[in-house]
């Protein structure tokens, strides 16, 4: 990363990079809330939007009512289960 991030922004980015779950903002918020009790869901959404605009992460669109994100920005294919909403990276 070319710029310094706040601790919360870095935690949001690290949380997203540290999972293969393709999480929603809500998932990230609940994962980080115990460590950052003053974190708001609005902060998570704002930071995800800024990271998406900067090309650091990508949006996979809305799955089961929530926008889902991926920290892997290189082109790759996803499988989205219509039964359980799981999103998986498919091998090339």
């Amino acid at each position: 990363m070319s710029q310094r991030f706040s601790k919360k922004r870095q935690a949001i980015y690290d949380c997203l990079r540290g999972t293969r779950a393709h999480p929603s903002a809500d998932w990230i918020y609940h994962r980080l809330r115990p460590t950052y009790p003053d974190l708001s869901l609005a902060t998570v959404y704002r930071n995800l939007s800024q990271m998406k605009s900067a090309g650091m992460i990508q949006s996979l669109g809305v799955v089961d009512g929530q926008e889902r994100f991926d920290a892997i920005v290189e082109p790759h294919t996803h499988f989205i289960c219509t039964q359980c909403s799981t999103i998986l990276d498919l091998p090339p």
Side-chain angles (χ1 to χ4, degrees):
M1 288 176 282
S2 61
Q3 60 184 2
R4 275 185 63 89
F5 285 166
S6 69
K7 288 181 182 182
K8 289 178 190 171
R9 182 175 293 183
Q10 187 66 53
I12 292 165
Y13 185 66
D14 290 345
C15 183
L16 186 55
R17 290 204 40 99
T19 183
R20 292 287 202 196
H22 303 91
S24 65
D26 192 57
W27 186 94
I28 294 169
Y29 168 74
H30 287 291
R31 181 65 63 106
L32 295 177
R33 184 91 164 130
T35 305
Y36 299 93
D38 61 337
L39 180 68
S40 71
L41 186 55
T43 297
V44 175
Y45 274 110
R46 183 176 56 256
N47 280 281
L48 289 171
S49 177
Q50 291 170 351
M51 287 181 227
K52 186 171 64 171
S53 293
M56 297 173 59
I57 65 172
Q58 64 174 319
S59 170
L60 303 181
V62 176
V63 176
D64 198 25
Q66 293 190 317
E67 184 175 13
R68 304 281 286 273
F69 299 93
D70 192 351
I72 301 172
V73 294
E74 293 78 22
H76 62 286
T77 304
H78 294 98
F79 168 79
I80 303 173
C81 179
T82 57
Q83 297 298 311
C84 68
S85 301
T86 296
I87 302 173
L88 301 172
D89 293 321
L90 293 179

